[in-house]
Structure formats: C-alpha cells, structure tokens
Amino acid sequence: MKNIYILLTRSQTILSRLIHLATNDTYTHASIAWDDELTTLCSFARRHTSLPLPAGLVREDLCGGYYDLHRYMPCALLRLSVEDETHRLLREQIEAMLSDATRYRYSIAGLLCCRAGRELERDGRCFCSQFVAGMLENCGVAVLPKPPSLMRPEDMLHLPGIQLVHSGRLCDLTHPSLPNVCTGNLSLTPALGIA
C-alpha cells in the first residue's frame, strides 16, 4: 500500500476570495501529491508567483513560490491509501501530463459552471479540484459523489476512505522541531504520527 495526498488551501488571491465569498467553503484550492514529502505536489494554478495568469498545470513547491509567500494560509492535508498498482497508474498519468504541461490551461468557464451546478468538460482545460477529482476517478482511487467538473475542494473532505492528516496553517505542516514548512526537510511521517 502507498499513499496519495490531497492538499486543500485557501489563499488571499482575488480568485480565492471570490470563490470563498460565493461558496463560503473553508478551502478554495486543491492539489495532489504521490509522495510522503509532498515534493510531487501539482495542480491547476498560476504559472508565475506574482501573476494570476497565465494559469494551467503546474508543479507546486511548498518551500518556494506562492506557498512560501503565503505560509499562514489555512490548509488541510488529506491522505488516501491505495494499492501499489493504483499509485503507479496515478503517478504515470500525472507525470505524462506534466511532461506536456503547456498544453493544459486553467478553466475559468469550468469554475463558473461548477458554481452553477452545470458540468463542463473541455479537453486540456481544468480547474484545480476538477483535475484532482478527475485523477482520483480515472485511476480508480475513489468513487466520486458527482462528476469531476462539479467537485469543489471542500468535497474532497468527504471522499470514502479519506483520512485527515493535518488541519491548520500551512506553516504548521511540519515536524514539531522545525520552524516552518520551508526548512527543506518536510517529513510527514514523524511529524504527524503517520504509520
């Protein structure tokens, strides 16, 4: 058995504030990783730290870029334990997408349709939670309560088999002896008592 992680956050960007205002959800962004150190974290998000656009499929760095500038944002780290083959399939699908990342763009229209309760699937275009949910569904990791294009970050909290590993500030997602998540030695196993 191996682990897949979903990181939920809510930043202070204009888009995040608008989503929070419209939904009152605690979390407005979802990312996925397939390693315990979260070095493989990726999602559909801004390509440049200081600019909201262009946006698309990106690797996210907890120790740099946007997260490093916003360490105090609320977050929840979720874990799903999966069979080795399922884990491999998810990793390979995401790595294949990342190898051609410029092909993928953020779907603002999809985000608006999600809020309106209308499905919208467009090739090469996703919003963050649609991407995460789609990967979970495509690889057989989870049975979703609704189509990926209608999944919001908050919905990830209620997936079957999900385990809440951490809830609080992003900077507290560390070993108790480390000052913050950007120490270069993020390790969830000793920090959070993960067996």
Side-chain angles (χ1 to χ4, degrees):
M1 296 291 280
K2 292 188 176 178
N3 296 319
I4 291 169
Y5 294 92
I6 300 168
L7 180 66
L8 306 178
T9 56
R10 187 181 83 235
S11 69
Q12 291 300 310
T13 64
I14 292 170
L15 182 59
S16 180
R17 288 178 186 190
L18 288 172
I19 293 169
H20 178 64
L21 185 65
T23 64
N24 201 32
D25 287 349
T26 304
Y27 306 106
T28 58
H29 182 65
S31 308
I32 191 167
W34 59 87
D35 68 323
D36 291 335
E37 296 77 29
L38 303 183
T39 60
T40 59
L41 196 66
C42 57
S43 186
F44 273 69
R46 56 180 59 209
R47 293 192 192 279
H48 307 288
T49 303
S50 59
L51 300 171
L53 295 173
L57 180 60
V58 296
R59 280 199 180 272
E60 296 180 314
D61 182 2
L62 286 177
C63 299
Y66 192 82
Y67 285 128
D68 190 37
L69 297 174
H70 302 275
R71 295 183 212 164
Y72 297 98
M73 71 173 89
C75 77
L77 183 65
L78 311 174
R79 178 181 64 195
L80 281 162
S81 296
V82 298
E83 296 294 329
D84 291 2
E85 180 62 21
T86 303
H87 186 272
R88 182 192 63 76
L89 181 62
L90 180 122
R91 185 188 77 238
E92 287 178 356
Q93 281 192 18
I94 295 175
E95 284 176 339
M97 290 176 71
L98 286 166
S99 70
D100 191 19
T102 57
R103 176 178 174 269
Y104 299 97
R105 297 191 179 171
Y106 193 88
S107 178
I108 293 174
L111 190 64
L112 295 172
C113 284
C114 178
R115 178 63 187 124
R118 292 182 34 214
E119 288 184 61
L120 178 64
E121 298 282 343
R122 294 169 63 198
D123 189 41
R125 294 187 181 256
C126 280
F127 55 93
C128 62
S129 54
Q130 178 183 14
F131 165 69
V132 172
M135 287 294 102
L136 297 178
E137 183 177 69
N138 291 346
C139 299
V141 173
V143 176
L144 303 178
K146 50 190 161 184
S149 65
L150 296 179
M151 292 287 288
R152 299 190 332 227
E154 202 87 353
D155 294 328
M156 306 292 171
L157 291 164
H158 309 292
L159 292 175
I162 202 83
Q163 298 171 327
L164 179 64
V165 176
H166 170 81
S167 178
R169 300 179 312 170
L170 184 66
C171 63
D172 295 328
L173 183 63
T174 64
H175 189 283
S177 66
L178 302 176
N180 64 52
V181 79
C182 298
T183 60
N185 339 287
L186 177 63
S187 175
L188 301 178
T189 306
L192 303 171
I194 298 173

